[in-house]
Amino acid sequence: MRVLLVGWSSVLHGEATAGDVLATQAVAERLTAEGVAHDHAWSPAMHRAYGPRGGLLLDDVDPAAYTHLVWVCGPLTGEPVRELHERFAHAHRSAVGVSVLDPDDPAVTGFHVVVPRDAPGRAPQRDLAACPASPAVPVAGVYLTHGQGEYGGRRRHDDVAAAIGRWLDGRELARLPLDTRLDPRDWRLPATAEQVLAVVARLDLVVTTRLHGLVLALRSGVPALAVDPVAGGGKVSEQARAWGWPALVAAEDLLADDGALVLDEQAAWCLSGAGRAEADRCRDEAGAAGREQLDALVAALR
């Protein structure tokens, strides 16, 4: 017996969701516990993430190598499902954790066994995505700026943002694109500064080319991987120096051939015990931030 696990994250024009993947992992864990040999096939897009972990590309799979096909999760309908019935006609075909909308749909009737999570006339079952054990992944908030025209020819903002994006694509980080800009008229943006701080406080890491991305992270005790997008250094570098914060990457270093390695090293430090301890120091000292500026202002007013 050898089983191939497939689902909407496997087919070319399918829509992969986290729930689909977690449900399939639940099936894989159970098959492993039962001693059943199995592989997981992916679409070209999802193979970029899961291929390095041993996943297969569905288009490259030899159907004859498998005695069983198991479709996991999602609605059991559509041409991609029916095509797999034809491609794996020789195999025993099962579906599990699926929604059955029409029991007479050929996508449904083509399976030898269907174990649904919901189907007409049947009590619903809890989704399989709740089952598998999953490792924790650091959450990184990303604050990038594309403006700051005041720096003129020293601007490297677009190139720096693109390089950071390429780096993030290949890293095991849960990425949240964020903005410090406030707009009470748009629910997609924070309405108040307190809302921004509430999000930052829940992050494991901030990746930023913005001065305030750095400051808000440090005042919250969150390590910041700061990249200065200005050639020769600008206000991000100056602010990192003011805080004594070491995780700073110059635009020139990022855009060099080994720029990704520089980011890897700095991110690893930020997520280490040393990086977290340094962020805690900054948080503890935040109350004194700006005191000299405020003292000078008050003296001038008097």
Side-chain angles (χ1 to χ4, degrees):
M1 176 186 292
R2 188 163 194 88
V3 176
L4 183 66
L5 302 177
V6 296
W8 287 108
S9 59
S10 308
V11 297
L12 180 60
H13 298 298
E15 179 178 295
T17 71
D20 294 332
V21 173
L22 289 170
T24 306
Q25 289 175 355
V27 174
E29 287 181 4
R30 182 59 182 269
L31 294 182
T32 298
E34 299 290 337
V36 177
H38 59 277
D39 293 315
H40 191 168
W42 301 93
S43 68
M46 293 306 301
H47 190 259
R48 292 179 57 186
Y50 288 97
R53 306 183 192 185
L56 305 177
L57 190 63
L58 180 59
D59 289 345
D60 294 340
V61 165
D62 177 10
Y66 297 93
T67 58
H68 291 68
L69 180 80
V70 176
W71 179 283
V72 185
C73 200
L76 209 53
T77 187
E79 191 60 29
V81 184
R82 292 189 284 269
E83 289 176 354
L84 282 175
H85 287 314
E86 298 176 5
R87 186 176 175 191
F88 289 84
H90 68 286
H92 183 279
R93 299 180 301 284
S94 303
V96 64
V98 294
S99 294
V100 175
L101 286 75
D102 178 5
D104 297 324
D105 188 327
V108 178
T109 60
F111 287 100
H112 298 91
V113 175
V114 176
V115 183
R117 64 188 175 194
D118 56 87
R122 301 186 62 160
Q125 301 294 312
R126 294 180 180 180
D127 189 82
L128 291 171
C131 299
S134 299
V137 175
V139 180
V142 183
Y143 290 95
L144 302 179
T145 177
H146 295 273
Q148 300 179 343
E150 63 270 21
Y151 285 104
R154 297 169 58 205
R155 292 183 71 261
R156 302 292 184 271
H157 294 60
D158 292 343
D159 291 340
V160 164
I164 291 174
R166 290 191 295 270
W167 176 75
L168 287 168
D169 279 343
R171 300 305 178 275
E172 188 64 357
L173 295 169
R175 290 96 64 175
L176 292 178
L178 299 172
D179 204 327
T180 59
R181 183 166 59 91
L182 307 179
D183 190 342
R185 302 162 301 177
D186 186 347
W187 68 267
R188 289 162 293 192
L189 291 170
T192 66
E194 291 75 17
Q195 292 175 13
V196 174
L197 290 174
V199 172
V200 171
R202 288 161 172 78
L203 302 173
D204 298 303
L205 173 69
V206 166
V207 180
T208 183
T209 60
R210 303 192 69 102
L211 178 151
H212 282 125
L214 170 62
V215 172
L216 300 184
L218 297 185
R219 67 159 281 167
S220 302
V222 176
L225 172 48
V227 181
D228 195 325
V230 178
K235 58 187 178 182
V236 173
S237 295
E238 292 298 308
Q239 195 61 208
R241 187 162 66 92
W243 286 83
W245 182 252
L248 172 70
V249 178
E252 296 86 344
D253 293 335
L254 174 61
L255 299 177
D257 291 340
D258 60 349
L261 294 177
V262 174
L263 290 180
D264 283 340
E265 292 172 358
Q266 295 290 356
W269 180 84
C270 284
L271 293 170
S272 71
R276 296 177 194 276
E278 191 68 6
D280 286 342
R281 173 192 66 79
C282 292
R283 178 195 59 210
D284 294 342
E285 297 175 359
R291 182 173 296 165
E292 292 183 6
Q293 298 173 67
L294 295 174
D295 289 346
L297 171 63
V298 171
L301 291 176
R302 287 177 175 170

